[in-house]
Amino acid sequence: MIVKQMIEAIDFNEVIEHERELPLYHEVTRDILQYLESNHTVTFNEIIMNVGGSDRRTLRLLDQLVQSKVLRFEGGSFSIADQPICPIKSQDVVCPYCDGKIVTIDRNLQHISEKMQTIYAEKPKPTFVFDQRPVNWETTVRRVSYLIWRRDIQNKTIAILGDDDLTSIAVALTGLAKRTVVFDIDERLISFIKKKSRQLHLNLEIFSQDFTKPMPKEFLHCFDVFMTDPTPTEVPFTVFTNVGIRLLKKGESSVGYLSIYPSCMRRNLKIQKTINAMGLMITDLIPFFTQYDFVGETYSERDLRLLDKYSDGISKMSFYEYLLRVQTTYESKEAKIKYKLSELLGGATKRVLSDPRMDPALTSANDGEKSYISDAAGNIVKSQDREMIG
Amino acid sequence: MIVKQMIEAIDFNEVIEHERELPLYHEVTRDILQYLESNHTVTFNEIIMNVGGSDRRTLRLLDQLVQSKVLRFEGGSFSIADQPICPIKSQDVVCPYCDGKIVTIDRNLQHISEKMQTIYAEKPKPTFVFDQRPVNWETTVRRVSYLIWRRDIQNKTIAILGDDDLTSIAVALTGLAKRTVVFDIDERLISFIKKKSRQLHLNLEIFSQDFTKPMPKEFLHCFDVFMTDPTPTEVPFTVFTNVGIRLLKKGESSVGYLSIYPSCMRRNLKIQKTINAMGLMITDLIPFFTQYDFVGETYSERDLRLLDKYSDGISKMSFYEYLLRVQTTYESKEAKIKYKLSELLGGATKRVLSDPRMDPALTSANDGEKSYISDAAGNIVKSQDREMIG
């Protein structure tokens, strides 16, 4: 299989949405072919969970590979024409019980899994205006399971910075934390978490907070653990992690949880350099752990037809990231940066600010929510060029 | 449970072997108590696999905790007196199938597991003179399983730097690599791997190499992957990783596997800073993955009595480390250091250079092996103060 020739045979204009994405999808093409060589027949969902690319683009790439006869698609699975069966498939060595996720969410967390699945069905539609991109409910419960395993929840004070994933509810459902405080900018989410907290008698404190503004003094340096999940590019990662450091107890061994290395971006050293400059110690980095939910609203008619063809019309997720756990050391400190508000915004946010039709909440929420989010979008557009220090 | 009072109640002179170990065993005491609070009843092996300390010292610490009535020991398990049962135990969320190791070593790797178990029983006794400290056979097979999962073995060229773990044999048994080359300084190991390679018709190249000497030119920049496991303190980690970088193909996405953060040392930022200075990207860091074999020869009569009392006379392992995977970037480069040979030696090596009775090979190998290792030890002692550049 000569990857270079294959890449030349594909019309990447049918795949990518911006020229800067080309190097990534060259890489994804190579990785898909290698993955198929190591696994023989694989489904669309397996590729999204274990290889790379963002779901829509990878879907279109697979279609190109099928159209150009590099791949076969038969019985719901892709394969390379005339590829011999490999003796040990790479997916046959990953744990069949936890799927390589280390922790489980059934057994003693079954009741939390069931509750979270129900609550997820009721939660507000995510909006890219606030850079939301929720993980699936399995990942939310897995994160909590991971905290239990690492003993980062038992009798601990936990700050959650941004909670479109409803991690706070899953944390509180365990009853193991000493104190759980949630900060979010989205009033819809704040109301929703407050309502659930009342209904389920959870021990949760919920506050409205814009992370570009100073945190109230009463929260500084009083937490054992922070959890957050900004877009893992330099500016948002630094701004959110700085807030986390400000909230953590000073000294050694306070803990932060983040997600990095999205499968829909090329990896580079910037995040690691930032972590290093902050004097944070990377203790855990788990590939493929964090699965982002499928967002049907981002699909065009044509994408939906391809999804129907290659995956029964539904995708289990849209991309993955690696779970990151860091610990503070005596050298830990914020890495102050100057930035413009626009640099804090992810690609999806920028897209919906110019075209609201691509936003899940702006297309399908009720009128009250829509006008709330539209107003917020208007405010962001107005202050895009404001210089900030984070 | 007020940890500070507990720590004051313990005679740490009965636990540690050097004053510098005290801060670690204060930490281990706190961690054991927290682990017991989160798990109620636990065995000695569970503590060694999931909490910390080196086996002998943790054994003596547990004995102190039992003697001072902080802990109860009943029916083979430790518990805290009058501790209420916790609703969700931290060990009850870790995957029961892979024990949190992500990959499996049964099923399609069963034949390799069986072979490695047999071969492990025949391999030369490890010697601390060459800083050997083999992992258990399960870890050797798990490492290979991990490489299969990450597609770092399929059709790849792999260099193994130091192989008291016999990783090369397990790699070759898969038949998946394009080329596997082993470098080791210990002639006993070289003969053993050569013999096994012939008997099992493996595709292996085996070379004698002292990593403080230059690597032969023909091996420079021609590997996709290196695997090594030096003592993870600054000097040996840097020297061995430098050799790895020299062997890897230039450019992006070549891969290195190492182990860091031993449970028998306090963690600090030095290793991460070194990795960062080398422009290597940390991609995977898996806690508790790497399990070092039990070495009975390091036990005193008294330690053996305690082991018999608390663990049926056998320990499954002596300490753990975290599995580390790094990738090269266009910024990757060696981090040249000046060092004295003595700085390359781990604690156990220094101990046996002054007292050979603590060395597994020097106490129990045959006369030929003993004189070979003694000669090597003599040479190391002679050149201890030599200035090197690595």
Side-chain angles (χ1 to χ4, degrees), chain B residues 32-33 35-48 51 55 58-67 70-83 89 306-312:
Chain B
I32 288 175
L33 295 173
Y35 188 79
L36 278 159
E37 284 174 350
S38 301
N39 288 283
H40 205 65
T41 62
V42 298
T43 65
F44 170 64
N45 273 321
E46 276 177 75
I47 289 170
I48 294 301
V51 187
D55 54 346
T58 298
L59 185 63
R60 297 192 295 253
L61 173 60
L62 286 165
D63 185 52
Q64 285 291 310
L65 288 164
V66 170
Q67 298 296 336
V70 175
L71 298 190
R72 269 200 312 232
F73 182 71
E74 262 176 12
S77 290
F78 298 90
S79 59
I80 299 174
D82 307 319
Q83 167 72 21
K89 297 178 185 174
L306 291 179
L307 188 64
D308 198 44
K309 179 173 173 190
Y310 293 117
S311 183
D312 305 326

Side-chain angles (χ1 to χ4, degrees), chain B residues 314-345:
Chain B
I314 188 89
S315 166
K316 286 189 184 147
M317 48 177 276
S318 59
F319 63 94
Y320 63 78
E321 290 186 4
Y322 289 24
L323 176 73
L324 170 68
R325 179 184 185 274
V326 293
Q327 275 190 9
T328 56
T329 66
Y330 286 115
E331 296 176 42
S332 293
K333 59 179 190 301
E334 297 167 49
K336 285 280 182 199
I337 46 161
K338 281 188 187 172
Y339 63 97
K340 282 187 186 172
L341 185 59
S342 61
E343 294 176 87
L344 196 62
L345 311 176

